[in-house]
Amino acid sequence: MDYIKTLTIITLGYLYYIFFKLLLLTVNLRIVNQPGRSALENGSIYFASWHGNLIASTVAFQKTFISMQNPITLIVADNFGGRVYGFAYQKIREFNVVYLELDNLISSFKKIKKILNENKSVAMTADGPKAPRHVLRRGSLAVMKQQPTILASVNYAVPVSLFWRWDKMVVPLPFSSLTVKFSDPAVVTDEELIKVVLSS
């Protein structure tokens, strides 16, 4: 059974990797407000976006921060879907992938803080990997209150929506336009402000 599951993850991971590479090669990315390079030189930045924007925001991170000194560490759930995403993202040299059991809040928070303390940058969705949609998870908010954070708002010209998911995952199409706006790095404490910036 484990063999079948592993084979399925690898197969789906390769397919997603091919699709992701196609997006990287063809999507027309427009940056509205890119943080200054000096803010990123030392790493240790926390990136956050909504879970429904997972694919698009990851495209934006790769295309925007490709020249960062340290790769961005993507935090993904240690479950079937997270393993598929992680398998694909591990093949992109600008990303490191760390799997977390995100139901264990204290353990996850400590691991994220350890990565940031190692002067590395971390990216994770603020409301995922489980419902409800657009409700900040306590761990994400706790990191934002302690760590310089960049919030990513993403908009699409031609998206495909997967409405059967709790997060209404929205996926950009190849050769479409993708607009992303990054906030300035800051320690963010206002929960309502976070929601406004991520949704703008």
Side-chain angles (χ1 to χ4, degrees):
M1 188 66 178
D2 287 341
Y3 173 78
I4 295 175
K5 183 178 179 180
T6 300
L7 184 60
T8 303
I9 289 172
I10 292 173
T11 302
L12 293 177
Y14 266 116
L15 291 174
Y16 176 63
Y17 169 72
I18 293 170
F19 175 69
F20 189 77
K21 288 290 287 186
L22 180 62
L23 290 178
L24 291 177
L25 292 171
T26 62
V27 162
N28 177 27
L29 179 66
R30 174 174 173 260
I31 306 297
V32 175
N33 181 30
Q34 183 171 341
R37 303 304 306 175
S38 60
L40 306 171
E41 287 176 354
N42 295 322
S44 198
I45 294 287
Y46 183 81
F47 295 92
S49 64
W50 290 134
H51 200 267
N53 289 334
L54 171 64
I55 294 175
S57 58
T58 309
V59 170
F61 291 155
Q62 195 280 340
K63 291 175 72 73
T64 307
F65 303 108
I66 189 170
S67 60
M68 285 183 65
Q69 184 176 359
N70 295 321
I72 295 177
T73 299
L74 296 181
I75 305 296
V76 298
D78 191 5
N79 55 25
F80 182 83
R83 287 284 170 179
V84 171
Y85 286 127
F87 181 89
Y89 292 146
Q90 283 174 327
K91 297 186 173 299
I92 309 294
R93 66 180 178 85
E94 291 77 27
F95 295 140
N96 291 326
V97 176
V98 171
Y99 297 96
L100 290 184
E101 296 179 11
L102 296 181
D103 286 335
N104 189 332
L105 179 64
I106 295 176
S107 174
S108 298
F109 181 77
K110 287 181 178 179
K111 186 170 285 191
I112 292 171
K113 287 296 293 180
K114 182 178 184 293
I115 295 169
L116 290 166
N117 289 337
E118 292 171 352
N119 206 35
K120 299 177 181 178
S121 291
V122 168
M124 189 174 76
T125 57
D127 59 342
K130 295 182 178 180
R133 180 172 176 253
H134 292 181
V135 173
L136 296 175
R137 290 180 65 88
R138 287 183 297 160
S140 296
L141 187 59
V143 175
M144 292 179 199
K145 288 181 176 180
Q146 297 187 24
Q147 192 72 32
T149 299
I150 294 178
L151 305 175
S153 170
V154 186
N155 296 285
Y156 319 75
V158 186
V160 173
S161 298
L162 306 182
F163 289 107
W164 58 87
R165 291 178 55 105
W166 66 265
D167 57 356
K168 295 186 179 179
M169 178 73 76
V170 184
V171 182
L173 292 178
F175 303 100
S176 64
S177 295
L178 178 63
T179 301
V180 60
K181 182 176 182 179
F182 296 105
S183 68
D184 293 326
V187 176
V188 188
T189 59
D190 188 327
E191 188 168 348
E192 292 306 313
L193 176 62
I194 294 170
K195 292 179 181 180
V196 169
V197 173
L198 289 177
S199 301
S200 64

